[in-house]
Amino acid sequence: MIIEQRTYRFKPGKVPAFMAIYEAKGLEIQKRILGNLIGYFITEIGTLNETVHLWGYDSLNDRSDRRTALMADDGWRTFLAEILPLLEMQETKVLLPTFFSPIR
């Protein structure tokens, strides 16, 4: 298994607006297409105005296939057009669990 960590920084004060749009229009699409949501978080201390979410995939090919399907979804593209003006930065990391990690 691989874990994708996606971090998004929003314009100051825009996380609540993003979360409302995401819960109403984006979450179910991602859960349906990407599948394994491990966790979704907002920052409280440190760099503020961020969301961090973790998705599990069987392999890099699985991730690529699922991300391609997500970007082909009309509902997802409509959602992106609505939230992109709120966004300042995106960072994506692929994490490989160690042999002793509870998530393998």
Side-chain angles (χ1 to χ4, degrees):
M1 173 185 274
I2 63 166
I3 308 296
E4 180 179 27
Q5 174 185 313
R6 297 181 76 89
T7 303
Y8 296 94
R9 184 177 318 128
F10 294 91
K11 293 177 181 173
K14 297 300 181 183
V15 170
F18 165 75
M19 292 304 291
I21 297 166
Y22 181 68
E23 287 183 87
K25 300 177 181 178
L27 177 59
E28 288 306 315
I29 296 170
Q30 277 196 309
K31 285 170 57 176
R32 175 175 42 86
I33 296 173
L34 299 183
N36 187 11
L37 174 60
I38 294 170
Y40 212 107
F41 312 90
I42 58 172
T43 55
E44 179 65 25
I45 297 173
T47 305
L48 300 179
N49 302 303
E50 287 187 346
T51 63
V52 178
H53 39 115
L54 305 173
W55 297 87
Y57 300 97
D58 292 334
S59 66
L60 287 173
N61 286 338
D62 179 41
R63 178 195 172 273
S64 179
D65 292 346
R66 290 176 183 272
R67 298 289 313 169
T68 297
L70 182 65
M71 293 308 294
D73 185 272
D74 290 336
W76 183 252
R77 287 196 312 274
T78 299
F79 163 77
L80 285 181
E82 193 168 344
I83 62 104
L84 282 177
L86 307 175
L87 192 62
E88 283 191 345
M89 182 276 305
Q90 172 187 342
E91 179 182 41
T92 301
K93 295 179 182 179
V94 171
L95 309 173
L96 302 175
T98 61
F99 73 91
F100 54 83
S101 175
I103 297 173
R104 287 188 199 98

